[in-house]
Amino acid sequence: MTYDVIVAGLGGMGSAAAYHVARRGQRVLGLERFGKAHDQGSSHGGSRIIRQAYFEDSSYVPLTLLGLRTMGGTWSGRRAGIS
Ligand SMILES: Cc1cc2nc3c(=O)[nH]c(=O)nc-3n(C[C@H](O)[C@H](O)[C@H](O)COP(=O)(O)OP(=O)(O)OC[C@H]3O[C@@H](n4cnc5c(N)ncnc54)[C@H](O)[C@@H]3O)c2cc1C
């Protein structure tokens, strides 16, 4: 089997990358040392704080807003049974 993209690490960032690349029709292989949906990474936890105000650089703000819209799509995908 061949793949267009290989994602190493399926935490929040890697999972999102794999999901969106797959949605574009690419064949994706995700590699994760702990298996799916584990509790060993930075992305694990029962709550998440997302801020839209960034002192560091205002260019983060449109990225944050885009991320919020994109995560909504990802969560909808999870509800639809995409894993
Ligand atoms: C306690 C805590 C609370 C946080 N709270 C917030 C918050 O409220 N809001 C916020 O915006 N950010 C928060 N952060 C930061 C945020 O969680 C991280 O920046 C983000 O989750 C990082 O995502 P990631 O996918 O890069 O990393 P991770 O979720 O850690 O994913 C990396 C993945 O790579 C895998 N991996 C590593 N090495 C290998 C390998 N050799 N082979 C295969 N797989 C490998 C790991 O197992 C893991 O699944 C928090 C971080 C921590 C630690």
Side-chain angles (χ1 to χ4, degrees):
M1 190 169 281
T2 60
Y3 298 93
D4 302 305
V5 175
I6 298 174
V7 178
L10 296 177
M13 300 302 145
S15 296
Y19 173 81
H20 288 286
V21 170
R23 279 196 63 183
R24 293 178 186 183
Q26 303 289 297
R27 295 180 61 83
V28 184
L29 173 65
L31 303 174
E32 170 52 55
R33 64 178 170 172
F34 291 121
K36 284 193 294 186
H38 62 81
D39 61 1
Q40 304 296 309
S42 300
S43 303
H44 174 73
S47 64
R48 185 90 352 201
I49 297 169
I50 301 173
R51 62 188 162 108
Q52 297 174 20
Y54 279 88
F55 167 79
E56 294 84 351
D57 194 319
S58 61
S59 64
Y60 285 117
V61 175
L63 289 174
T64 303
L65 296 173
L66 175 64
L68 286 168
R69 286 201 302 274
T70 307
M71 281 192 288
T74 304
W75 290 331
S76 297
R78 284 210 191 119
R79 282 195 296 273
I82 299 170
S83 58

